[in-house]
Structures are given as C-alpha cells and as structure tokens.
C-alpha cells in the first residue's frame, strides 16, 4: 500500500500503519478500517472497553476532517457493539476532540479535525451495545467498518 494522496482537495490520505489495543484476529485487524471494503475491525470480544486505534501517516498532514462508517450489513450492525463516545487526539499539543457517534449505518459521519500531525489516535470511551437479532445472541466484539482521513499535505 502506498502512502500517496489521491483525488481532489481536500485530499484523501492513505494510512501507512495502524495499531489497535485489541483485535479479533487477522481477518478483523485495524487495516480493515481503511481498505475501502465492507470488511471491519473488531476487538477481541471486549465490548469496545478501553479500545484505542492509532493511525500513522508518511508525513505531517493538515487533517481537515474524517468520515466514519459503521458496519453496512444490518444484522452484523445490530449484533455488534459500536463506538459511541470517542476521543480523537494528534501530535499537536492541546488538540483533542470528544465526539458522540450516531448509532446508525445508513450514512457516513463527518468529524471536523483541523489539526496537523502524522499520527491520529482514536480512543473509544463508550459504546452502543449489541442487540439480539431473530433469537441470535449479540456479539461481544466492537466493530468499525471504515474511517477515511481528508486534508492537505
């Protein structure tokens, strides 16, 4: 995967490296968050508790905003835990944003950032619980389908 921007301004920046405090396994690693596929990151059955995701880029970037997407598949969306309150930080001193995500999977959620950094960290502070679907027990895994970062290099 290259770390070069593509598209019009504001530019979509590719993540070079990511790490997560936990993942269900290789098929649900944090790389799934930025693969433009309906795959997802899932924690290891921790219900989003104390989850942290760190995204590293090839250079300092002025991040204007990010878009966030919950799992598209409606059964999986209902059964999995989903982040609710998140804390976003960067390497820029004093920068932090607390944001309450919506419990929906019908559209992307836009979060203004306006920070310069080569690393963005997202901590999950609280979660929407998974629900039973047609008698199937809820999943204990926290899930995120896609996060896309936009800005100027």
């Amino acid at each position: 995967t290259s770390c070069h921007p593509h598209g019009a301004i504001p530019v979509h920046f590719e993540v070079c490296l990511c790490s997560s405090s936990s993942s269900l396994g290789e098929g649900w690693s944090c790389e799934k968050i930025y693969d433009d596929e309906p795959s997802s990151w899932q924690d290891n059955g921790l219900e989003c508790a104390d989850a942290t995701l760190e995204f590293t880029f090839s250079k300092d970037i002025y991040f204007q905003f990010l878009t966030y997407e919950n799992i598209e598949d409606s059964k999986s969306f209902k059964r999995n835990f989903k982040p609710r309150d998140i804390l976003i930080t960067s390497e820029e001193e004093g920068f932090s944003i607390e944001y309450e995500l919506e419990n929906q999977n019908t559209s992307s959620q836009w979060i203004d950032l306006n920070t310069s950094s080569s690393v963005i960290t997202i901590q999950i502070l609280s979660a929407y619980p998974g629900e039973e679907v047609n008698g199937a027990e809820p999943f204990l895994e926290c899930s995120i389908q896609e996060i896309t970062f936009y800005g100027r290099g």
Side-chain angles (χ1 to χ4, degrees):
T1 307
S2 73
C3 297
H4 299 288
H6 57 319
I9 293 180
V11 178
H12 161 200
F13 280 91
E14 294 291 331
V15 176
C16 283
L17 180 69
C18 74
S19 63
S20 60
S21 52
S22 159
S23 72
L24 185 56
E26 198 175 306
W28 294 273
S29 65
C30 61
E31 287 85 5
K32 301 297 183 185
I33 291 176
Y34 53 90
D35 63 0
D36 283 329
E37 298 288 332
S39 57
S40 64
W41 164 78
Q42 296 192 17
D43 74 5
N44 196 13
L46 302 176
E47 303 174 354
C48 297
D50 303 317
T52 301
L53 298 159
E54 185 174 273
F55 302 93
T56 303
F57 299 82
S58 62
K59 61 180 182 174
D60 269 11
I61 294 166
Y62 175 71
F63 291 99
Q64 292 172 285
F65 63 93
L66 66 78
T67 57
Y68 171 93
E69 293 174 45
N70 279 311
I71 290 185
E72 232 172 86
D73 178 75
S74 58
K75 283 183 187 170
S76 295
F77 169 74
K78 287 178 184 166
R79 289 181 69 193
N80 278 91
F81 274 73
K82 285 83 54 186
R84 180 176 179 162
D85 293 297
I86 59 172
L87 176 66
I88 304 169
T89 56
S90 74
E91 296 169 308
E92 186 179 322
E93 191 174 327
F95 174 80
S96 71
I97 294 174
E98 252 188 77
Y99 190 87
E100 183 178 358
L101 294 162
E102 296 172 29
N103 191 19
Q104 56 91 354
N105 69 338
T106 54
S107 63
S108 294
Q109 299 179 58
W110 174 307
I111 303 171
D112 287 320
L113 296 177
N114 299 312
T115 184
S116 293
S117 185
S118 64
V119 177
I120 298 288
T121 303
I122 299 175
Q123 290 175 269
I124 301 173
L125 306 175
S126 67
Y128 296 104
E131 302 168 32
E132 187 179 294
V133 176
N134 299 327
E137 291 293 314
F139 296 128
L140 299 178
E141 289 77 29
C142 183
S143 64
I144 299 172
Q145 181 167 303
E146 206 74 27
I147 296 176
T148 308
F149 297 91
Y150 296 89
R152 297 194 177 119

